[in-house]
Amino acid sequence: MDAENFAADEKAAVGGIAADRLRSIIERVERLEEERKALAGDIKDIFTEAKSAGFDVKVIRQIIRLRKQEPAEVEEQETLLDIYRRALGM
């Protein structure tokens, strides 16, 4: 192996790590984190819009959380909530 090829191989794999691949992975994660930050800002804007339209943002968040769950799980939680409320005389 000549000196030029050795230097190129050493640059590509420093300490047994493929530097270009590592850089690519890190840059992809960084881009996704930037996208996530932008999306979080968009979601915040939507909640602000909902609040200014008179909606209760806390309730909207609860509905979103419920919609992510299975219907049977939601029904079970609502049943337990009802039982607990009755037990407390509410």
Side-chain angles (χ1 to χ4, degrees):
M1 179 179 285
D2 61 25
E4 187 176 305
N5 286 340
F6 181 76
D9 287 347
E10 188 175 310
K11 182 180 177 186
V14 177
I17 297 174
D20 290 340
R21 179 71 191 265
L22 177 60
R23 184 176 295 105
S24 170
I25 289 169
I26 290 170
E27 289 172 352
R28 286 170 37 212
V29 170
E30 289 172 339
R31 276 193 302 276
L32 290 172
E33 286 177 343
E34 284 299 316
E35 288 177 27
R36 179 174 28 188
K37 186 177 177 183
L39 288 172
D42 292 345
I43 291 169
K44 182 179 177 184
D45 292 344
I46 293 169
F47 281 121
T48 300
E49 177 186 339
K51 185 174 182 177
S52 69
F55 294 106
D56 187 321
V57 172
K58 208 179 215 184
V59 174
I60 291 173
R61 289 184 188 276
Q62 287 177 334
I63 290 171
I64 292 169
R65 194 169 35 254
L66 288 171
R67 287 171 52 112
K68 290 179 184 178
Q69 297 176 343
E70 293 295 323
E73 188 178 345
V74 173
E75 186 178 336
E76 179 182 345
Q77 288 178 1
E78 288 175 350
T79 300
L80 284 173
L81 182 60
D82 187 49
I83 291 169
Y84 291 178
R85 281 181 178 161
R86 280 193 252 145
L88 295 172
M90 298 176 71

